[in-house]
């Protein structure tokens, strides 16, 4: 197996090729926001399901989803190893995904118990289908290879179009409802898959090659790579720092700023500048390298977001400016960690191939690495909630409270904790990455 060195010869690799690859990021972004934000309110308010029972179902479904990610990564590797590629499997998963979104939002059963069972089954299936598409898509891009700027371009097109999907989904789901959102998702999936079928493809084995098998050693192999473990540790610290404000933003806007009606504007400003910033971070990769550009983004986030702890009720303009400024740092977090991950896998593949007495790897490894990366991404959300919500409850905060002390604790957890975690991530980068001479 050749190490990831670029697309197959004769394929389109200009902006049209990048667009065809990245287009799937747009509809996949439609799934994340509705399932994590809209669905709980839909089942709780519209369908009358008790929140405690619903919370258990959501937690169990997300855990099953996260645990399946490494196995889905192995599946993606097995398809990337073949000339036919993963497209057919992704198309099947996309059909299940679209059907699952319709099913989970519009249960054909009545009563609390049947609706909870329906939600558990359809949501788990939808999560798995989404993860299969997302992991295969990310592994496809990682396997395109190239130097750091080239790897960053594949990631930037995927994540830039995903941000466009987040902006669209935010508007449709909150104003036009889940039916229009599901219809838009279905149509955009068809278009994106049609484009992906004509996208540049990474190197592969001939169809005549034997079908590789997998062992538990394959499943755990990324965790034996010290370079990946270092990157994963930095990613977890930085990811929790991003997930804490995402978990608490509704509480902060409602109870501290008293601007709940302006939440879509704040989120729109944040994601819009995030999308605009992606080309700027691509330039930073060329000038500084991906890891140094990433740590610059961490430092910039602390400077831009830190002043949020000084805001009071009615400071909508100041908060909008903070959203715009910190959104510029979002492009770094969306583009650069995955660029570094692709480099780690590329170096591991070359090292394995060149080791004395070592056999060449029979399959790509981008999928299994991406599977563990996706698991860590979802773990970030769980850890953020596990850190922030119990701390706030212990400090006397409940939604809707106007206790000055409780609101100050909310402000500290929302604004100061992420900045502290970003600084820890920067320190970890220095000790685990920069001092080791990694890039």
């Amino acid at each position: 197996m050749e190490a990831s060195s670029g697309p197959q010869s004769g394929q389109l690799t200009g902006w049209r090729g990048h667009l065809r690859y990245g287009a799937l990021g747009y509809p996949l972004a439609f799934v994340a926001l509705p399932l994590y934000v809209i669905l709980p309110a839909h089942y709780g308010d519209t369908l009358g399901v008790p929140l405690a029972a619903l919370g258990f179902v959501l937690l169990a479904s997300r855990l099953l989803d996260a645990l399946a990610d490494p196995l889905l990564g192995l599946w993606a590797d097995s398809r990337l190893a073949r000339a036919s590629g993963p497209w057919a499997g992704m198309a099947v998963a996309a059909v299940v995904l679209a059907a699952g979104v319709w099913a989970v939002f519009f249960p054909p059963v009545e009563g609390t118990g049947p609706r909870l069972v329906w939600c558990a089954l359809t949501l788990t299936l939808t999560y798995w289908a989404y993860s299969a598409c997302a992991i295969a898509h990310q592994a496809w891009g990682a396997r395109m290879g190239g130097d750091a700027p080239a790897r960053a371009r594949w990631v930037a097109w995927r994540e830039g179009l995903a941000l466009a999907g987040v902006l669209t989904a935010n508007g449709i789901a909150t104003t036009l409802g889940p039916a229009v959102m599901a219809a838009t998702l279905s149509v955009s999936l068809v278009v994106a898959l049609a484009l992906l079928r004509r996208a540049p493809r990474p190197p592969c084995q001939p169809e005549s090659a034997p079908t590789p098998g997998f062992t538990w050693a394959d499943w755990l192999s990324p965790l034996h790579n010290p370079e990946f473990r270092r990157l994963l540790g930095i990613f977890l610290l930085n990811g929790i720092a991003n997930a804490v404000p995402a978990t608490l933003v509704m509480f902060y806007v409602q109870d501290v700023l008293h601007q709940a009606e302006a939440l879509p504007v704040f989120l729109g400003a944040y994601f819009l500048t995030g999308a605009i910033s992606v080309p700027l971070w691509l330039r930073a990769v060329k000038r500084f390298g991906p890891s140094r550009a990433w740590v610059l983004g961490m430092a910039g986030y602390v400077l831009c977001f830190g002043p949020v702890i000084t805001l009071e009720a009615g400071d909508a303009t100041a908060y909008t400016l903070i959203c715009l400024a910190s959104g510029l740092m979002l492009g770094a977090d969306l583009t650069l960690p995955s660029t570094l991950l692709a480099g780690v896998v590329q170096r591991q593949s070359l090292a394995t191939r060149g080791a004395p007495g070592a056999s060449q790897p029979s399959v790509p490894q981008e999928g299994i690495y991406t599977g563990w990366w996706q698991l860590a991404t979802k773990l970030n959300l769980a850890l953020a909630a596990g850190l922030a919500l119990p701390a706030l409850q212990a400090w006397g905060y409940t939604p809707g409270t106007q206790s000055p002390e409780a609101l100050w604790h909310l402000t500290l957890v929302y604004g100061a904790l992420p900045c502290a975690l970003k600084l820890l991530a920067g320190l970890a980068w220095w000790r685990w990455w920069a001092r080791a001479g990694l890039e």
Side-chain angles (χ1 to χ4, degrees), residues 308-390:
V308 78
I309 65 173
T310 66
L311 301 187
E312 299 176 346
D315 287 341
T317 301
Y319 186 67
T320 301
L321 293 175
I322 288 175
C323 289
L324 290 169
S326 57
L328 291 173
M329 306 302 127
L330 177 62
D333 286 326
L334 290 176
T335 306
L336 304 180
S338 294
T339 300
L340 290 168
L341 174 64
V344 168
V345 182
Q346 192 177 79
R347 288 189 290 273
Q348 175 66 20
S349 178
L350 290 170
T352 303
R353 187 183 63 177
S359 60
Q360 293 184 350
S362 58
V363 295
Q365 295 180 300
E366 286 78 8
I368 183 58
Y369 274 84
T370 301
W372 281 102
W373 195 255
Q374 283 284 86
L375 188 153
T377 301
K378 293 165 185 175
L379 185 61
N380 286 338
L381 293 168
L383 289 174
L387 284 171
L389 297 179

Side-chain angles (χ1 to χ4, degrees), residues 257-276:
L257 299 183
H258 296 172
Q259 299 290 323
E261 69 284 352
L263 181 61
V265 176
F266 298 144
L267 294 178
Y270 177 71
F271 288 119
L272 180 61
T273 53
I276 293 172

Side-chain angles (χ1 to χ4, degrees), residues 249-266:
V249 61
M250 294 184 68
F251 302 134
Y252 178 83
V253 170
Q254 171 184 301
D255 293 334
V256 176
L257 299 183
H258 296 172
Q259 299 290 323
E261 69 284 352
L263 181 61
V265 176
F266 298 144

